[in-house]
């Protein structure tokens, strides 16, 4: 079945450590995204990538880094520079609605990061 | 920036009741998307709307694209316990068909 796989589902990190969240998709989508979700705040865009070897900052990119070396993969690194990293992280990829040209996002199951 | 305002923020209903929630913006949107997020999971697309005035159903769900293109409504009929979750509206950010902006969600609790 086609879909998006995020790993790990749960991750614990000590302060000062970098951590990398994995995101793999087999939907053959060109665009991929990372969102952060905090209680009551909805989804906020961290980074997105429209094509391999290219990515752009979203609204809250500070303290995060990404790479897009393969179409299927879009890992997110939460660095020690991120002051409040405890959150639920969602990866997504997108295909266009043919009629409107707007992108429809398909999400992974999420990764919950807790900083101890 | 473009903001989507969802209301209500949360709802507590009894099984079998109908539910209505809405999403408004000061900006015009060409597409409205409604997602549902089960606890601890990623959001799943429920309905996509791409024409002003459009009314679309998906089982017990009905969504409408407001005629002004600044709002959308989602209705759930005869709610069941598995309807529990967070419902998000979303639309493409101005100037970018790649990026979506999301509302803050409506948390729905259904009491059996």
């Amino acid at each position: 079945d086609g879909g998006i796989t995020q790993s790990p589902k749960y991750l614990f990190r000590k302060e000062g450590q970098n951590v990398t969240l994995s995101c793999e998709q087999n939907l053959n989508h060109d665009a991929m995204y990372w969102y952060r979700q905090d209680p009551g705040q909805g989804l906020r865009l961290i980074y997105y990538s429209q094509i391999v070897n290219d990515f752009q900052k979203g609204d809250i990119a500070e303290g995060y880094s990404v790479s897009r070396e393969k179409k299927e993969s879009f890992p997110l690194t939460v660095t020690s520079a991120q002051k409040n990293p405890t959150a639920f992280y969602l990866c997504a990829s997108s295909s266009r609605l043919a009629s409107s040209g707007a992108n429809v996002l398909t999400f992974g199951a999420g990764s919950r990061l807790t900083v101890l | 920036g473009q903001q989507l305002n969802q209301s209500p923020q949360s709802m507590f209903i009894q099984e079998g009741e109908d539910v209505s929630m809405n999403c408004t913006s000061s900006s015009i949107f060409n597409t409205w998307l409604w997602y549902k997020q089960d606890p601890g999971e990623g959001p799943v697309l429920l309905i996509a709307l791409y024409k002003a005035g459009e009314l679309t159903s998906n089982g017990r769900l009905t969504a409408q694209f407001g005629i002004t293109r600044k709002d959308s409504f989602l209705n759930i009929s005869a709610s069941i316990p598995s309807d529990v979750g967070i419902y998000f509206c979303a639309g493409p950010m101005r100037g970018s068909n790649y990026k979506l902006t999301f509302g803050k969600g409506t948390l729905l609790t259904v009491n059996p």
Side-chain angles (χ1 to χ4, degrees):
Chain A
D1 289 332
I4 299 177
T5 301
Q6 289 188 239
S7 62
K9 180 67 176 178
Y10 300 96
L11 187 61
F12 297 88
R13 184 192 97 175
K14 293 182 180 180
E15 281 192 25
Q17 289 181 335
N18 292 354
V19 62
T20 297
L21 306 180
S22 170
C23 179
E24 303 281 331
Q25 56 104 355
N26 60 4
L27 299 168
N28 199 34
H29 288 170
D30 288 317
M32 296 187 74
Y33 310 76
W34 275 104
Y35 283 86
R36 170 178 170 142
Q37 184 176 21
D38 297 283
Q41 293 218 34
L43 306 180
R44 294 184 290 169
L45 182 63
I46 305 172
Y47 269 98
Y48 68 105
S49 167
Q50 297 179 17
I51 199 167
V52 174
N53 292 323
D54 185 50
F55 49 83
Q56 287 81 40
K57 293 181 179 180
D59 300 320
I60 56 165
E62 185 175 352
Y64 300 99
S65 66
V66 293
S67 63
R68 187 84 187 279
E69 298 176 1
K70 299 186 301 181
K71 185 176 184 179
E72 300 80 14
S73 179
F74 191 41
L76 173 74
T77 297
V78 184
T79 75
S80 57
Q82 169 51 235
K83 298 305 179 186
N84 185 21
T86 295
F88 192 53
Y89 291 89
L90 288 161
C91 178
S93 65
S94 70
S95 62
R96 286 185 179 276
L97 279 175
S99 57
S100 72
N103 274 353
V104 174
L105 267 61
T106 300
F107 286 88
S111 293
R112 183 166 298 282
L113 173 63
T114 302
V115 174
L116 304 173
Chain B
Q2 290 174 287
Q3 278 192 317
L4 294 178
N5 302 306
Q6 281 191 253
S7 64
Q9 287 186 329
S10 61
M11 304 179 72
F12 297 84
I13 63 171
Q14 291 297 125
E15 183 176 0
E17 291 182 358
D18 297 343
V19 173
S20 183
M21 60 189 79
N22 69 77
C23 191
T24 62
S25 176
S26 58
S27 303
I28 289 174
F29 281 81
N30 294 319
T31 302
W32 287 92
L33 305 173
W34 284 94
Y35 284 85
K36 182 200 176 192
Q37 183 180 29
D38 289 331
E41 298 295 328
V44 174
L45 182 69
L46 297 175
I47 292 178
L49 303 160
Y50 50 90
K51 187 184 295 185
E54 178 183 3
L55 185 71
T56 297
S57 293
N58 178 6
R60 293 179 296 106
L61 307 177
T62 302
Q64 183 161 24
F65 192 145
I67 197 70
T68 65
R69 294 162 61 192
K70 293 183 178 182
D71 58 8
S72 179
F73 302 87
L74 176 70
N75 296 317
I76 305 172
S77 63
S79 60
I80 59 178
S82 63
D83 289 334
V84 165
I86 304 176
Y87 292 79
F88 291 102
C89 62
M93 292 184 183
R94 184 184 300 116
S96 172
N97 273 339
Y98 278 98
K99 297 193 293 182
L100 293 183
T101 186
F102 284 81
K104 293 187 177 182
T106 293
L107 174 62
L108 178 65
T109 302
V110 180
N111 296 316

